[in-house]
Amino acid sequence: METNGVRLTPEQAHAALADTEHVRASAAALSATPWPNWFFITLTLYIAALPITFGGFMADPEWLLPRSAWMTILVTSAAVYLALFVVAGNAWRAKTGVALRLDVLPKRATVPLTIGLPVLLVGAGFAFRATGRPVWLFAASLIGVAVSVGFHLAFVRLHRKTP
């Protein structure tokens, strides 16, 4: 087989096939997780937006928008997130026949996450109010996104190990 006038060795061809198989296995593992990809993306976007909207609400004086607009955004986004959480849980139940249980996840990961992530996301708003520097909000947003992606990838790995 020739590609652009260059002949591949059998070892190169096998390596390319192994890479293709690795990508296929990764995609299969990702699609096997209980959280649909659309919900993972929604959750990550919610986590990214929360420090900024909460910081806007906490700002003194008003920052970019009136305080009532920030509150409306916070309440609306929380309601949409919770509704989509219910939809994702029902989709998992329909797919597997069992209810989604978060208590089966490793406590060494979930306990720090359930304590640390809210402190990070809400604490950034208080830090912004105290200092007036929006860097706190954007840093918390980026860290929250990294935590969301990392937790999702760890969950994919955990789920892949489950028969």
Side-chain angles (χ1 to χ4, degrees):
M1 174 198 304
E2 288 191 12
T3 307
N4 296 334
V6 178
R7 183 169 270 255
L8 296 177
T9 66
E11 293 81 16
Q12 291 171 322
H14 287 297
L17 287 174
D19 287 345
T20 303
E21 187 57 37
H22 176 69
V23 169
R24 189 175 295 135
S26 295
L30 187 62
S31 65
T33 62
W35 299 123
N37 287 334
W38 63 264
F39 184 73
F40 160 64
I41 292 167
T42 301
L43 175 62
T44 303
L45 291 174
Y46 179 74
I47 288 172
L50 188 62
I52 296 165
T53 54
F54 186 70
F57 174 73
M58 292 292 295
D60 190 36
E62 292 180 343
W63 179 63
L64 301 177
L65 295 172
R67 186 168 275 147
S68 60
W70 287 116
M71 177 54 89
T72 303
I73 292 169
L74 276 171
V75 170
T76 303
S77 62
V80 168
Y81 167 73
L82 290 174
L84 291 175
F85 183 82
V86 170
V87 170
N90 289 338
W92 173 250
R93 188 177 311 118
K95 180 179 176 181
T96 65
V98 295
L100 182 61
R101 293 183 50 206
L102 300 176
D103 63 330
V104 297
L105 298 174
K107 300 284 186 259
R108 69 181 185 277
T110 56
V111 170
L113 182 71
T114 57
I115 294 169
L117 195 59
V119 168
L120 172 74
L121 300 179
V122 174
F126 288 105
F128 173 60
R129 183 180 176 123
T131 65
R133 296 177 169 240
V135 69
W136 292 103
L137 305 175
F138 297 111
S141 181
L142 291 173
I143 293 168
V145 166
V147 167
S148 177
V149 170
F151 194 77
H152 179 72
L153 293 176
F155 191 75
V156 167
R157 188 168 169 239
L158 175 70
H159 192 71
R160 189 181 311 161
K161 289 180 181 180
T162 307

